[in-house]
Amino acid sequence: MTDAPAVAAPVDRTTQPWWRSAVFYQVYPRSFADSNGDGVGDLRGVRDKLGYLELLGVNALWVCPVMRSPMADGGYDVADPRDIDELFGGLTAMDDLIAEAHARQIKVTMDLVPNHTSDQHPWFREALAAAPGSRERDRYIFHDGRGPDGAEPPNNWPSIFGGPAWTRITEQDGTPGQWYLHLFAREQPDLNWDNPEVADDFEQTLRFWLDRGVDGFRLDVAHGMAKPDGLPDLPAVASGLFALDDDDVRFNNPAVHDIHRRIRKVVDEYPDAVTIGEVWVTDNTRFGEYVRADELHLAFNFRLAEAPFTAAAVRDAIDNSLAAVGPVFAVPTWTLSNHDIEREVTRYGGGAVGVARARAMILLELALPGAVFIYNGAELGLPNVDDLPDSVLQDPVWERSGHTERGRDGCRVPLPWEGAAPPFGFSTGSPWLPIPPEWAGLTVEAQLEELDSTLSLYRMAMELRAVRPEFDGDRIEWYGSPAGCLAFRRPGGLVCVLNASDTPTSLPPGDVLLASALPDGGQLPPNAAAWLV
Ligand code: NOJ
């Protein structure tokens, strides 16, 4: 029994752009693999593990920022967007990574940060040294303060990381001066995209990397660059950290679409290149505007990552993700976690249940049409590390929230590769965040040959997804299913069943291609998913 029409003709995947059904693997370079023993992962570390990534079956890498940075926000504070930080091995290491990844048919996308720079960027230093109203100040968002002596910030905006979004500077003559806007940390001043110099410079950055061979970009805060006229106050400033709604005037202003059109024009000169926007916009129509034919190729849809583990919530997330892109003929994207989000094993309850659910969800995710994003370590079933000592926390959120929010370090703990004790082959030195000794059973080495491991499940699922014709077709049709379960079918014939209830459920007819937990007598256990053909 179906409640949506099937959609016909299998898709010829060879004529589709490569990213249309690609599996992107997100490398958080600081935490992936350290080649030089300084305790911080680097690009040679990534290069050394390309064999692993090939075995895993990923099509593309999304490499989080590695450009020159004082690392006030893990590299999202960029001091030179057209150079690679020595911490990560410099430009040569990037060139080598691109070349060797390409030799293995793996694409490389970089993470660019158009909304802001580091406060150590030469432009910002020039702005501080120049006078109010100068050309140098106009590359950022400087304003006089409100109230007597301009001692109050220009408006009431909070920073996403806590505290005010404005910092007051001291002018060259030593007097208290103007304020500059930073939607994130004070070390991340927002650029003024109304200034054509800013767009011109970003265009140079795009070309610089595309000419070096990168296959595209993840664009940070892609809904944030345009600011509203007059920078009006927020009606209520009660929102918590990261708590955004679609009407938040700090984001999603219509002029941002002109910026994306300009970026797209440049990227279109490199026909295979892709742009993926970080777009925290929930309304389907407004989200869809970002992936119109002349804007971003792809945008992250976070609904699946935000959905609790219930059939109704997961189905709703899928329906809305598809509904957001359908009217503009764009490709859906799926993501369960990233470097800003609590790891899914923990989100789904932790322990054995959390792992079982995370395994079920990756099967569900890989069964969907579109591009899939996997965050490094998810394939090992890593949990969040919620008991990091205060003294090691590095996320600026920790300081900016006055030590009330621990921030995102718990999902950024370095990966365990091999051996029985930390640092599990991640580094020969001391890792920048401690790795829990309990991860001995979760190392790549421990899981690689183990058929039932989460790593093996990922490998098998990705291989089947890449080669089986049952994954063809851009749509899904829902099947009726028992309470607490969901089932859908791809036009190519794949059926995916998720049992989010607390009792075993009967599987529909067909052969089980893969399951996250062994079906018993035709019954799929709770917290499990299966693929049937
Ligand atoms: C979104 C990135 O994913 C996050 O890690 C970063 O802190 C902010 N943008 C600011 O660049």
Side-chain angles (χ1 to χ4, degrees):
M1 187 182 60
T2 68
D3 48 17
V7 167
V11 171
D12 174 2
R13 284 189 232 162
T14 56
T15 62
Q16 302 286 343
W18 65 267
W19 40 266
R20 216 186 150 88
S21 58
V23 176
F24 288 80
Y25 183 89
Q26 180 192 354
V27 173
Y28 192 68
R30 291 201 288 170
S31 303
F32 190 69
D34 171 21
S35 73
N36 64 358
D38 66 358
V40 180
D42 48 48
L43 293 176
R44 294 213 184 284
V46 182
R47 192 195 65 178
D48 292 347
K49 300 292 184 195
L50 281 173
Y52 167 74
L53 296 169
E54 195 177 10
L55 198 73
L56 185 60
V58 308
N59 306 116
L61 306 183
W62 151 24
V63 181
C64 280
V66 283
M67 294 81 73
R68 257 211 290 131
S69 165
M71 304 294 285
D73 182 24
Y76 284 95
D77 48 319
V78 180
D80 182 349
R82 300 191 279 278
D83 197 3
I84 300 288
D85 203 289
E86 282 309 318
L87 184 69
F88 297 115
L91 258 184
T92 329
M94 188 68 195
D95 289 341
D96 291 350
L97 175 64
I98 295 170
E100 295 197 26
H102 285 174
R104 293 173 190 265
Q105 315 302 324
I106 296 175
K107 308 272 186 188
V108 180
T109 63
M110 289 181 74
D111 201 330
L112 299 184
V113 188
N115 182 68
H116 44 266
T117 70
S118 159
D119 62 348
Q120 300 305 310
H121 189 293
W123 273 4
F124 194 69
R125 291 168 175 230
E126 285 167 28
L128 292 184
S134 59
R135 169 174 179 242
E136 288 81 359
R137 290 249 168 124
D138 190 50
R139 295 172 181 139
Y140 293 91
I141 303 175
F142 278 88
H143 280 281
D144 294 335
R146 296 199 282 206
D149 303 323
E152 299 293 323
N155 70 19
N156 68 355
W157 294 1
S159 137
I160 301 300
F161 290 164
W166 295 92
T167 291
R168 191 172 199 186
I169 65 161
T170 302
E171 301 293 353
Q172 289 300 299
D173 63 3
T175 57
Q178 288 194 301
W179 298 72
Y180 69 88
L181 178 70
H182 51 88
L183 290 181
F184 296 89
R186 70 165 69 208
E187 296 88 350
Q188 294 167 295
D190 279 50
L191 285 162
N192 172 18
W193 274 83
D194 288 337
N195 180 337
E197 248 193 288
V198 170
D200 290 347
D201 188 73
F202 194 70
E203 178 169 340
Q204 276 191 52
T205 301
L206 294 169
R207 291 184 191 284
F208 179 86
W209 295 114
L210 289 165
D211 289 338
R212 286 189 107 83
V214 306
D215 301 288
F217 307 102
R218 180 259 190 195
L219 297 177
D220 189 61
V221 201
H223 59 318
M225 293 88 87
K227 306 297 186 287
D229 286 345
L231 303 178
D233 276 342
L234 276 169
V237 195
S239 63
L241 290 182
F242 294 106
L244 301 177
D245 67 59
D246 283 359
D247 296 322
D248 186 322
V249 295
R250 293 171 297 175
F251 295 95
N252 197 24
N253 286 287
V256 80
H257 297 290
D258 295 333
I259 298 173
H260 285 300
R261 283 187 201 104
R262 166 126 193 224
I263 293 174
R264 179 63 181 258
K265 272 210 176 97
V266 177
V267 175
D268 274 348
E269 291 176 33
Y270 301 77
D272 261 358
V274 65
T275 50
I276 307 131
E278 184 201 25
V279 175
W280 285 96
V281 171
T282 308
D283 176 77
N284 289 338
T285 306
R286 294 174 81 182
F287 181 92
E289 288 168 356
Y290 285 82
V291 280
R292 288 176 290 203
D294 57 351
E295 299 197 36
L296 292 157
H297 297 87
L298 299 170
F300 288 109
N301 193 310
F302 295 109
R303 284 185 186 265
L304 209 53
E306 288 176 328
F309 188 79
T310 68
V314 170
R315 177 169 172 162
D316 185 68
I318 295 172
D319 278 339
N320 277 294
S321 304
L322 293 172
V325 295
V328 288
F329 306 103
V331 172
T333 66
W334 310 101
T335 185
L336 292 174
S337 53
N338 65 29
H339 64 294
D340 295 328
I341 303 177
E342 189 179 39
R343 284 195 178 274
E344 55 266 50
V345 164
T346 305
R347 239 175 35 233
Y348 296 141
V353 168
V355 173
R357 292 176 173 175
R359 288 167 58 98
M361 287 299 287
I362 187 65
L363 282 201
L364 174 119
E365 190 180 45
L366 288 169
L368 291 163
V372 172
F373 291 81
I374 292 172
Y375 177 47
N376 60 195
E379 78 277 19
L380 304 176
L382 298 184
N384 232 58
V385 181
D386 292 331
D387 58 356
L388 288 168
D390 293 358
S391 58
V392 303
L393 295 181
Q394 297 203 11
D395 187 343
V397 166
W398 174 238
E399 287 303 326
R400 290 196 62 85
S401 69
H403 296 182
T404 57
E405 300 269 346
R406 298 180 63 75
R408 301 157 292 174
D409 291 315
C411 66
R412 298 174 176 178
V413 170
L415 262 56
W417 291 95
E418 61 190 27
F424 298 116
F426 163 73
S427 171
T428 53
S430 175
W432 68 280
L433 287 175
I435 312 178
E438 310 84 78
W439 284 11
L442 296 177
T443 64
V444 170
E445 183 184 46
Q447 298 197 42
L448 202 56
E449 303 295 327
E450 193 57 61
L451 262 187
D452 295 339
S453 70
T454 300
L455 178 55
S456 295
L457 179 74
Y458 268 74
R459 280 177 67 190
M460 290 185 283
M462 279 154 70
E463 185 176 348
L464 291 167
R465 184 180 188 274
V467 301
R468 297 284 302 220
E470 290 90 349
F471 288 81
D472 282 348
D474 281 348
R475 292 266 305 271
I476 63 169
E477 43 178 305
W478 291 107
Y479 274 66
S481 49
C485 299
L486 62 79
F488 61 83
R489 181 179 179 280
R490 293 282 294 276
L494 178 82
V495 173
C496 178
V497 180
L498 174 76
N499 182 2
S501 78
D502 50 16
T503 53
T505 189
S506 299
L507 285 169
D511 295 331
V512 175
L513 195 58
L514 189 62
S516 67
L518 223 48
D520 186 9
Q523 301 269 300
L524 185 67
N527 303 318
W531 288 351
L532 296 102
V533 290

